[in-house]
């Protein structure tokens, strides 16, 4: 696989210049900022695998590394997580409270809204949508760079559309993401770089061939313990990420997917001459395979081990490509959220409270029981097992109050529920401040709260309760307010600067102002939630 990636890069960089100009001495601002998000890359995985990394992730680990980074909010999903990375804001400010919320005022039959869609586009639904940035309420770093420096380019390449949209924002020059079949864009009026067609052809050829299984090194093979999943009887844990020819789902959950995303990103750097313009450029890359591997096999088995070691090599190849390009670049690395391992495997490893969620906790089942109790027809509650739960708009007046009171009591009485809050309870507290390690569950919920989009009730399950019952497709997930989902690594790297290991707890919302300071970009309105981190790559933060 590594050879294939190198071959793809070599093809992309066939006409690259061999000359490497000397690097300026920092703290001259870098000419290219590369921001890499590894989807579902928890700080737990970072801590565990860091000694195993030898290439790209090892190099980034030699920068300024915060092993206690926090996606500080409660709803630790991909869309909100990516929305914090380059805006400097928490989801309560970005407006991206979850991957999907409910808007009962919509005229279309599907009242759910996908975070990166235009729900007013005719003929769409939350699952068959038109990609859009309209729900993101704030500017991104790339947007701010373009406002300050019109020559600056804002580019995003991703395995997922929502990651590309949330990291680039409202003024992207190029934004390409995988649609299940090929890399596509939602932008119009921009010239399509030639590298897109070449990358798509290379990926199509890769996908059409079978994906060979990877050879596990001893560190991975010692994790190869088969686990039988409740619900489906499926066995995972000892896989090698092999897939059949043409299996797009298997491709997505393999290192080939990230290799393809990185190859396209490298091609963009080359063709657009990123880092060589009149102003600094931004390249955001979101690598999605780790998330698909985590969902399919859980993050604790041989499969994740193979994925992460391969990803280390792939990022190494990508950074080597940037080195050869001669561009003065800086890298920031983080993740949109962490993840929880399979309850079956956790229990075998001594985590005795790990369990799959009680099916009776689904909003549909809860709503049905409450409807019967209160003699109300209809669905009553809409939502999932946890997170935002909405009272159906047909329930009004005194009935709505009765449903709310009963639902809060029923949720709170359940042994798997840690907390249930009404929207009124969440709305009335101040946004949290101080270290994200000390926040209450209610404060975490406040950081995920938007008055127009949040549910009437927010439900939080106890630690190690996996909100997946049916395991034939996905076995594990994230989304909770617990640290296995909230804590992520945040690393800043630039050539020639010495390593610094930081233990202080910081937020992913701190990444944007830190990078802005590195670029010498003043942050005017709107004010942000995050703060510039001092002593990062020779950074000098503006006076607060
Ligand atoms: Zn994610």
């Amino acid at each position: 696989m590594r050879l294939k990636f190198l071959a793809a890069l070599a093809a992309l960089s066939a006409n690259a210049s061999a000359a490497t100009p000397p690097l300026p001495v920092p703290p001259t601002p870098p000419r290219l900022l590369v921001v890499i998000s590894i989807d579902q890359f928890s700080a737990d995985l970072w801590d565990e695998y860091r000694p195993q990394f030898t290439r790209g992730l090892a190099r980034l680990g030699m920068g300024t590394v915060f092993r206690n980074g926090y996606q500080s909010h409660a709803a630790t999903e991909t869309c909100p997580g990516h929305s914090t990375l380059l805006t400097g804001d928490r989801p309560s400010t970005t407006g991206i409270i979850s991957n999907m919320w409910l808007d009962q005022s919509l005229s279309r039959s599907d009242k759910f809204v996908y975070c990166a869609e235009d729900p007013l586009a005719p003929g769409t639904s939350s699952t068959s949508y038109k990609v859009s940035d309209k729900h993101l309420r704030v500017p991104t770093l790339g947007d701010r760079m373009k406002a300050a420096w019109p020559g600056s380019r804002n580019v995003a390449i991703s395995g997922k559309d929502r990651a590309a949209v949330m990291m680039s924002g409202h003024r992207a020059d190029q934004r390409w993401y995988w649609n299940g079949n090929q890399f596509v864009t939602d932008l119009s009026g921009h010239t399509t770089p030639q590298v897109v067609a070449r990358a798509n052809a290379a990926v199509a050829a890769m996908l059409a061939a079978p994906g060979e299984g990877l050879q596990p090194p001893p560190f991975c093979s010692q994790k190869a313990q088969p686990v039988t999943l409740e619900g489906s009887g499926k066995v995972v844990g000892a896989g090698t990420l092999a897939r059949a020819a043409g299996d797009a789902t298997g491709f997505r959950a393999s290192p080939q997917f990230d290799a393809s995303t990185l190859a396209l990103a490298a091609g963009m750097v080359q063709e657009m001459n990123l880092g060589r313009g009149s102003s600094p450029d931004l390249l955001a890359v979101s690598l999605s395979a780790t998330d698909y591997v985590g969902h399919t096999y859980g993050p604790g088995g041989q499969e994740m081990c193979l994925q992460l070691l391969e990803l280390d090599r792939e990022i190494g190849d990508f950074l080597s490509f940037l080195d050869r390009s001669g561009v003065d670049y800086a890298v920031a690395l983080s993740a949109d959220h962490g993840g929880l391992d399979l309850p079956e495997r956790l229990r075998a490893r001594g985590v005795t409270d790990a369990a799959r969620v009680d099916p009776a906790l689904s909003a549909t089942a809860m709503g049905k029981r409450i409807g019967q109790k209160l003699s109300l027809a209809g669905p009553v509650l809409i939502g999932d097992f946890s997170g935002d739960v909405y009272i159906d708009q047909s329930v009004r007046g005194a009935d709505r109050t009765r449903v709310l009171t009963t639902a809060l009591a029923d949720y709170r009485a359940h042994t798997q529920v840690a907390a249930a809050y009404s929207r009124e309870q969440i709305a009335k507290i101040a946004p949290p401040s101080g270290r994200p390690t000390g926040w209450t569950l209610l404060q975490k919920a406040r950081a995920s709260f938007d008055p127009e989009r949040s549910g009437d009730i927010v439900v939080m399950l106890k630690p190690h309760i996996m909100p997946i019952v049916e395991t034939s497709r996905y076995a594990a997930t994230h989304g909770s307010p617990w640290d296995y989902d909230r804590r992520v690594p945040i690393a800043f790297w630039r050539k020639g600067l010495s390593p610094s290991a930081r233990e202080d707890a910081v937020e992913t919302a701190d990444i944007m102002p830190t990078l802005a300071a590195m670029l010498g970009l003043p942050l005017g309105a709107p004010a942000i939630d995050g703060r510039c981190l001092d002593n990062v790559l020779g950074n000098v933060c503006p006076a607060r």
Side-chain angles (χ1 to χ4, degrees), residues 338-374:
L340 175 63
D341 199 13
L342 309 169
E344 296 87 353
R345 186 159 47 213
L346 286 172
R347 281 199 304 274
R349 292 178 179 174
V351 184
T352 51
D353 60 354
R356 294 196 176 273
V357 70
D358 177 1
L361 273 174
S362 79
T364 310
M366 287 290 285
K368 201 170 167 188
R369 282 197 307 279
I370 292 166
Q372 283 163 357
K373 210 186 290 188
L374 304 179

Side-chain angles (χ1 to χ4, degrees), residues 61 67 163-164 166 172 177 291 340 354 369 372 379 417 427 490 492 503:
R67 58 182 286 274
M166 296 306 150
Y177 44 82
D291 185 63
L340 175 63
R369 282 197 307 279
Q372 283 163 357
V417 172
I490 300 176
F492 300 90
E503 292 291 324

Side-chain angles (χ1 to χ4, degrees), residues 38-40 76-79 82 99 160 162 291 295 336-338 478:
I38 300 176
D39 203 309
Q40 204 185 126
T76 46
E77 294 184 340
T78 296
C79 215
H82 279 94
N99 285 348
K160 297 184 185 178
R162 55 188 177 275
D291 185 63
H295 282 304
D336 56 343
H337 51 75
H478 45 83

